[in-house]
Amino acid sequence: DKVLMELIEPYELRVAKVREFLEDVKPSLRYDIVRLLDPYGPTITDPDLQCLVVSQETRRGGEAVNKQRLENGLPALALHEILLMQDPDHGENEEEKISSSSLRHRLLGTLLRPPRQDPALPSRPYVIGLTGGTGSGKTSIARLLGGLGAFLIDADKLGHAVYVPGGPAYKQVVATFGAEILSEDGTINRKVLGTKVFGNQEQLKSLTDIVWPEIARMVKEQIREAEAQGKAVCVLDAAVLLE
């Protein structure tokens, strides 16, 4: 449940950095670095431990360790509290302490590894999938990328287009859900259709099985249009991109 956990460095790399730091501090000491598979690790089972270093924000965790040790018949550990280093350059929305969460926020937008070349995909345009829930900022990011020259594809707009009379999904949706979903002018009333599928997984799947393949086909047409225009980058803004 860490912020941006996808950007946490691999365990082996983190261990190497910790070991290098500790050996710089005092190379004459022996350091055992243990992978923690639960919140306590060896602290509640190792009878040789005598002290636990905590910070102000982790002191409660240290007290929880001692409670477990006492329940296990082990002596409580001395809790040595240290102050955390403050980050003089932290941003407005970042933590005041030096923090891995702030570091991961700063990594957003950084190319972590080169794009993987897939021989089944054309090299141009390079298609970026932009997804997230309502209010997550997709439209703002898409607008920024569009300002940099990217070709924008709005899946929501295509989703509306498939429902219009003459649209690729119109006849099948009406045939599946009945004429009662139509307004007087013959257009599909999205609210009435919504009441039929809301809370009904079977009906919802019937609808998405009709609509999503058509949207995907229209997206591919748009990508071909981007290629025809010589665009290097194409951004697909879609709330259900993976689905």
Side-chain angles (χ1 to χ4, degrees), residues 4 19 52 79 107 122 135 140 153 211:
L4 299 172
R19 179 172 283 113
L52 190 63
L79 299 182
L107 282 174
S140 298
I153 302 174
V211 172

Side-chain angles (χ1 to χ4, degrees), residues 83-233:
L83 295 175
L84 294 175
M85 293 283 289
Q86 298 298 299
D87 183 355
D89 301 316
H90 71 274
E92 181 181 348
N93 298 317
E94 295 178 343
E95 297 175 291
E96 292 184 0
K97 66 178 182 179
I98 292 178
S99 162
S100 60
S101 296
S102 296
L103 174 62
R104 290 195 295 280
H105 273 294
R106 294 168 195 170
L107 282 174
L108 285 173
T110 303
L111 189 65
L112 299 181
R113 62 181 67 89
R116 178 174 56 85
Q117 292 300 318
D118 186 335
L121 297 174
S123 59
R124 290 168 73 94
Y126 187 78
V127 182
I128 297 172
L130 182 59
T131 192
T134 302
S136 62
K138 295 191 304 301
T139 303
S140 298
I141 296 298
R143 194 180 298 117
L144 286 169
L145 293 172
L148 295 171
F151 184 96
L152 302 183
I153 302 174
D154 186 335
D156 192 47
K157 288 182 179 178
L158 298 183
H160 283 81
V162 300
Y163 286 103
V164 299
Y170 178 83
K171 287 184 178 180
Q172 194 173 352
V173 170
V174 173
T176 302
F177 294 95
E180 62 266 26
I181 67 170
L182 295 177
S183 301
E184 290 183 4
D185 60 1
T187 59
I188 292 175
N189 187 318
R190 299 281 292 271
K191 288 186 178 179
V192 174
L193 178 60
T195 61
K196 285 180 170 285
V197 301
F198 184 74
N200 187 323
Q201 290 299 317
E202 188 176 332
Q203 289 281 69
L204 179 61
K205 186 176 186 306
S206 296
L207 179 62
T208 56
D209 284 349
I210 297 169
V211 172
W212 283 355
E214 294 298 339
I215 295 175
R217 184 183 58 76
M218 295 172 78
V219 164
K220 290 173 183 176
E221 288 178 357
Q222 291 276 290
I223 293 173
R224 286 193 289 271
E225 175 62 25
E227 183 181 11
Q229 293 183 19
K231 292 288 188 177
V233 174

